[in-house]
Amino acid sequence: MTAARWLVRRLLLTVVVMLGAATVAFAGLQLTPGDPARVILGSTTPSPEQVEQVRHELAFDRPVPVQYGLFIGRLAKGDLGRSYQLREPVGALIGDQAWSSALLALTGFATALTAATVLAVATAGRRPALRRLSMGLELIAISTPGFWVGALLLTFFAFRWHLFPVAGGSGPEALVLPSATLALGLVGVYAQVMREGMERALDEPFVLTARARGGGETSVRLRHALRHALIPLITISGWSVGALLSGAVVVETIFSRQGIGRVMAAAIASRDLPVVTGVILLSALAFSLINMAVDGLYRIVDPRLRESAL
């Protein structure tokens, strides 16, 4: 199977995933208690005529299969509807906040990957005491709740030492504490996966050959063993998209940052269902595209996979 056919197949799979996410979101809308028309009309006490008018305008008075067809039809045209509370198009509302969340997620991922690489290269197959210490710290990092880490970093680095902004902010310094909070749990997972992969690679004959040619230990680890540890890391990186997305909700709330996380939290609290649906679909799309990129990276890191499973 050619690369073009593989790409078409993955794109079709992405469409199926998006359709499934949209169906689940629609089912959630139907099962949510309360009348969406009353939510749209706000806290005032609307008349029955007003409620019926809104229900008719938004097709809430139509049979469920008809509502589902209209819902999917709007999504196919890129129309996510309007926010019940803000009265803005959901697509524009999410688009305004997407870059802030993407920047936070990318910074957190880069921070976690850099720290994990340093730990894995320094401790894989040598320095037993340092290796045990590193593994203990990684276990603590994995087990520590993100909201507690964020509160702790705010207490010391913002409130007590005044090194970083307490909340919000738009400069690079405003990203330090949120990205560190988001990255901490991932560092432990990444470091353990990379260390195990490197230790397996260090036992392979090609590493002995590289050492016999006069390569230094650090050079052998970075140029040869590290590449073979990237396959499991790439796999776990695709999985960690969910951790980044869910962690962003907590981090953006703690640090009062603009982003998809805060929009999602506010939409759930106010039962702004179109916004919740839009965020669900965006998350499904991001997850699908990143997993497609992960499959592509497999073939870059290990050329043997380019022909198999295509």
Side-chain angles (χ1 to χ4, degrees):
M1 186 182 296
T2 65
R5 292 182 63 187
W6 172 83
L7 180 60
V8 170
R9 188 179 67 176
R10 293 309 303 264
L11 289 174
L12 291 175
L13 182 60
T14 298
V15 172
V16 173
V17 170
M18 294 293 294
L19 181 61
T23 302
V24 171
F26 177 81
L29 297 180
Q30 297 297 318
L31 296 174
T32 301
D35 189 346
R38 295 185 180 275
V39 176
I40 294 172
L41 290 170
S43 59
T44 60
T45 304
S47 65
E49 292 77 13
Q50 290 176 316
V51 173
E52 287 303 319
Q53 181 181 356
V54 172
R55 289 179 58 82
H56 179 71
E57 290 175 353
L58 298 179
F60 293 152
D61 57 349
R62 308 284 291 277
V64 173
V66 175
Q67 293 185 46
Y68 177 74
L70 294 173
F71 174 73
I72 296 298
R74 289 196 301 269
L75 292 182
K77 298 175 183 178
D79 182 9
L80 296 173
R82 298 181 68 87
S83 167
Y84 291 168
Q85 302 298 322
L86 301 177
R87 304 295 194 270
E88 296 181 15
V90 172
L93 181 63
I94 293 177
D96 290 341
Q97 307 296 328
W99 170 243
S100 178
S101 292
L103 183 61
L104 174 61
L106 289 173
T107 306
F109 174 76
T111 302
L113 183 60
T114 302
T117 301
V118 172
L119 288 173
V121 171
T123 60
R126 61 180 179 180
R127 301 173 183 172
L130 181 60
R131 185 179 186 278
R132 287 193 295 270
L133 175 62
S134 177
M135 292 180 66
L137 294 176
E138 291 158 12
L139 182 59
I140 293 174
I142 295 171
S143 307
T144 304
F147 68 86
W148 187 83
V149 173
L152 196 64
L153 293 178
L154 272 177
T155 299
F156 287 98
F157 290 95
F159 292 114
R160 180 171 297 182
W161 297 329
H162 307 288
L163 297 177
F164 300 101
V166 174
S170 57
E173 66 279 359
L175 266 176
V176 174
L177 296 184
S179 61
T181 302
L182 196 59
L184 186 62
L186 296 179
V187 169
V189 177
Y190 289 176
Q192 291 186 8
V193 171
M194 291 181 67
R195 183 186 299 109
E196 183 177 352
M198 289 187 65
E199 288 178 344
R200 286 199 303 266
L202 289 171
D203 292 333
E204 297 293 331
F206 68 86
V207 173
L208 179 61
T209 302
R211 286 171 175 160
R213 292 175 178 173
E217 185 62 24
T218 300
S219 175
V220 168
R221 288 166 179 265
L222 291 175
R223 295 182 59 186
H224 301 281
L226 182 60
R227 178 167 182 167
H228 286 261
L230 288 180
I231 291 293
L233 179 65
I234 291 172
T235 302
I236 205 71
S237 297
W239 161 84
S240 65
V241 172
L244 289 171
L245 293 174
S246 60
V249 177
V250 176
V251 170
E252 289 171 358
T253 302
I254 291 175
F255 292 95
S256 299
R257 285 183 55 85
Q258 296 298 315
I260 298 297
R262 289 193 70 191
V263 169
M264 181 69 163
I268 292 174
S270 61
R271 297 179 59 208
D272 199 340
L273 301 180
V275 176
V276 174
T277 301
V279 175
I280 289 173
L281 293 177
L282 177 65
S283 302
L285 178 61
F287 188 82
S288 297
L289 294 179
I290 290 175
N291 275 276
M292 188 187 304
V294 165
D295 283 350
L297 286 174
Y298 285 154
R299 291 157 178 80
I300 295 175
V301 173
D302 190 346
R304 294 172 301 178
L305 300 176
R306 291 176 184 170
E307 296 300 330
S308 62
L310 272 179

